[in-house]
Amino acid sequence: MPRDLDLLKSVFGFDDFRPGQAEIVQAVCDGQNTLAIMPTGGGKSLCFQLPALVRDGVTVVISPLIALMRDQVRGLQAAGVSAGALTSGNTQEETDAVFAALERGELKLLYMAPERLASGGTLNLLRRIGTRLIAVDEAHCVSQWGHDFRPDYLRIGELRRALDVPLAAFTATADEETRTEIVEKLFDEQPPQTFLHGFDRPNIHLAFAAKNSPRQQILSFAAARKGQSGIVYSGTRARTETLASALRDAGHAAVHYHGGMDPDDRREVERRFQQEDGLIVVATVAFGMGVDKPDIRWVAHSDLPKSIEAYYQEIGRAGRDGAPAETLTLFGADDIRFRRTQIDEGLAPPERRSADHGRLNALLGLAEAHGCRRQQLLAYFGEEAEPCGNCDLCATPPDLFDGTVDVMKALSAILRTDERFGSGHLIDILRGTVTDRVQERGHDSLPTFGVGQDHTKPMWQAIFRQMLGLDLVRPDPERHGALRITQKAHPVLRGEAQVTLRRDTLKAARRPAAKMLVSEEDAPLLSALKAKRRALAENARVPAYVVFTDKTLIEMAETRPATLDDMARIGGVGAKKLESYGAEFLQVIAGEVEHMHPARRKLAGRAAGSLFDRLQDAATELLRGEDGTGKYLTIAPGTLRKIAERKPMSIGDLGRVTGMNDAKAERFGPAFLEILSEGE
């Protein structure tokens, strides 16, 4: 796919496709119905953006959130691609500009929200503008039982049939059940060409910790990463506000975000997060799929997410640029009770509630894992992996012990109190603590009273939390959270199954310092490059990463390009961005910038660039012929560029290049052809 590779470099600034991208791009370019499941940060958007440039007509992109669409459109426009979005967030001027570009036949990508498909005029519009491809971002939203269901996604299959065009669907979050539903709803159960390119995000460090003063745990985690962009997910609106305030009091730039805020205030938070380096957003999951910022360095959860899919998607917002990123997820018994109750009190049918408990169990198993977390996470999505070396348990293996006897004691206490009490009262019984409640109910006379005096209260809390995580017990919503025993616990009670637990002191673990993005030697240059990026971004009123991502700046700081040719070889520096920003960043790095004619700059970083230089040297030497007495003849830089790109191999071919004539071909031809033949 030579044309694709040329566009990959000239438009998007990449020398090669990421793993798995090339075959997906080829399938979409060929007009095949396509379903691609790729990890967040794996480059899904390029897999429909690049084919849109190769294919005739307009590519319509169905995307779930306005912020995500606007960010992608800004990024495309910055790379020189004609793209637009029709959203409720547009000004009238923006909407008029999009329609005008469509009428002129200039637009290659048109973004719209699924809700727009309900409008009667949408189908006629898409027919009139020559829609040739539908791309669906976040395709898992079509799943009615998924965590991000959008009812209007159900209209996309009908749109595909009406337009009779190929459809390419993309998502990072789809287990086998969800993939089956996507095929059924979008492709009429006719299997598309499916690409499953893994869920591994090796650059993301995974870590969980039991709750122990969660506010302080989050503050400590943020303190080690001060100045880096991060997200803290919290379970309630009130907690987002109090935690954001605590972070500000600790000296961080932090704001809160939740669904109860005024829409203008939410948009202002989104704008600030996109454009400011080092801002922390404390949010509910309302701050979701619209986050398209590639240089988020960390994500923390102050409360347990609702499922393993939600966890995977939320941590996936970190490190989209491929640079190191870190996560921390706090969890406790109260979280587990809350999530269980949410499921039990939901309106879903019994079989779906059972599946939701299974998804929560998978997340709890990850939280209480005994070995590499990445192995366990990938196993849930059907992948095998070696220990990753980039999670907390690989760094510090847990202290395991045979907890069978302790679990049997706890289960016995639950049964002997008729499954009517929560862990607090049960721990008092096990530890032999005489409270008014214990005495009133005569529980101090139970055989289990005092059988657990060998453990502290925090240790028993950890045991009960792990029992919840192992699904040996569940809170009973009809008894206000009292613990009841599950079928899974019966073999343990009968002595037929063993239970391994983690010894948990519940002391706040000391987090290692955040990994430096570059060496200490390169850190000052990276800071200077970020300052230049921020100034340019603020002047253009765009997010900083639209100028260059962190990953691109890191490569600049490490390789220190000395010329525009060197700069053009940096990942993420395409022709448009080299033209717009190359000289200014090169000045930060090298102090001085070579003067380069625009025609030569278009060849920067390419083999044709060095050919241009040699041709120009030869043209200068032959201005008055070989003996220096001939008529003065010059060749324009634009003509030299065409010769360097086309590489004509005869005097006749050379003379047909625009800007040449017979006299010039006769004088410069032999020298030019010798240079061009050597360049082959």
Side-chain angles (χ1 to χ4, degrees), residues 139-150 178 181-182 185:
H140 64 275
C141 292
V142 79
S143 173
Q144 295 187 67
W145 300 109
H147 60 287
D148 285 319
F149 175 56
R150 299 287 286 264
T178 304
E181 197 167 355
I182 291 172
K185 299 291 171 50

Side-chain angles (χ1 to χ4, degrees), residues 6-36:
D6 182 56
L7 289 171
L8 183 69
K9 178 61 179 175
S10 64
V11 176
F12 299 98
F14 302 121
D15 291 315
D16 295 297
F17 288 108
R18 296 184 193 179
Q21 281 183 324
E23 54 187 335
I24 298 172
V25 167
Q26 188 66 63
V28 179
C29 285
D30 291 344
Q32 299 182 35
N33 286 329
T34 305
L35 171 60

Side-chain angles (χ1 to χ4, degrees), residues 60-242:
V60 172
V61 184
I62 310 296
S63 189
L65 287 181
I66 291 172
L68 182 143
M69 288 187 275
R70 293 176 75 89
D71 289 340
Q72 289 202 6
V73 167
R74 275 196 295 255
L76 286 165
Q77 290 174 344
V81 177
S82 183
L86 292 175
T87 78
S88 59
N90 281 19
T91 64
Q92 188 59 50
E93 291 78 10
E94 288 172 331
T95 297
D96 290 344
V98 172
F99 277 116
L102 288 170
E103 292 301 328
R104 292 193 301 269
E106 294 175 356
L107 220 61
K108 292 300 293 180
L109 290 108
L110 174 64
Y111 284 73
M112 60 174 56
E115 289 76 13
R116 199 174 188 93
L117 302 182
S119 168
T122 298
L123 178 58
N124 289 334
L125 168 69
L126 298 185
R127 279 179 172 150
R128 192 175 76 251
I129 64 175
T131 301
R132 295 291 180 267
L133 172 68
I134 300 171
V136 182
D137 206 2
E138 308 292 353
H140 64 275
C141 292
V142 79
S143 173
Q144 295 187 67
W145 300 109
H147 60 287
D148 285 319
F149 175 56
R150 299 287 286 264
D152 287 290
Y153 264 65
L154 298 175
R155 301 177 186 272
I156 297 174
E158 181 182 340
L159 178 68
R160 181 187 66 81
R161 291 190 296 273
L163 293 174
D164 192 25
V165 297
L167 186 147
F170 299 85
T171 181
T173 312
D175 57 12
E176 187 173 352
E177 182 183 25
T178 304
R179 294 198 294 270
T180 301
E181 197 167 355
I182 291 172
V183 172
E184 176 188 332
K185 299 291 171 50
L186 298 184
F187 300 98
D188 300 328
E189 301 186 33
Q190 299 174 5
Q193 185 162 353
T194 300
F195 300 90
L196 183 59
H197 280 303
F199 294 86
D200 193 13
R201 298 285 306 284
N203 61 308
I204 298 180
H205 183 276
L206 306 178
F208 283 73
K211 281 188 176 180
N212 178 29
S213 302
R215 178 182 297 191
Q216 189 55 50
Q217 286 172 286
I218 294 294
L219 289 174
S220 297
F221 189 77
R225 290 147 192 85
K226 193 162 187 178
Q228 296 181 3
S229 295
I231 303 174
V232 181
Y233 283 109
S234 292
T236 68
R237 294 175 177 180
R239 203 168 296 142
T240 65
E241 297 182 12
T242 57

Side-chain angles (χ1 to χ4, degrees), residues 392-415:
D392 54 343
L393 296 184
C394 281
T396 308
D399 182 8
L400 304 178
F401 69 99
D402 183 353
T404 307
V405 173
D406 292 322
V407 170
M408 291 176 73
K409 291 175 181 178
L411 294 173
S412 177
I414 293 171
L415 286 174

Side-chain angles (χ1 to χ4, degrees), residues 40 69 77 130 178 276 368 459 535 616:
T40 301
M69 288 187 275
Q77 290 174 344
T178 304
E276 293 183 22
E368 301 285 10
M459 187 64 183
Q616 189 174 52

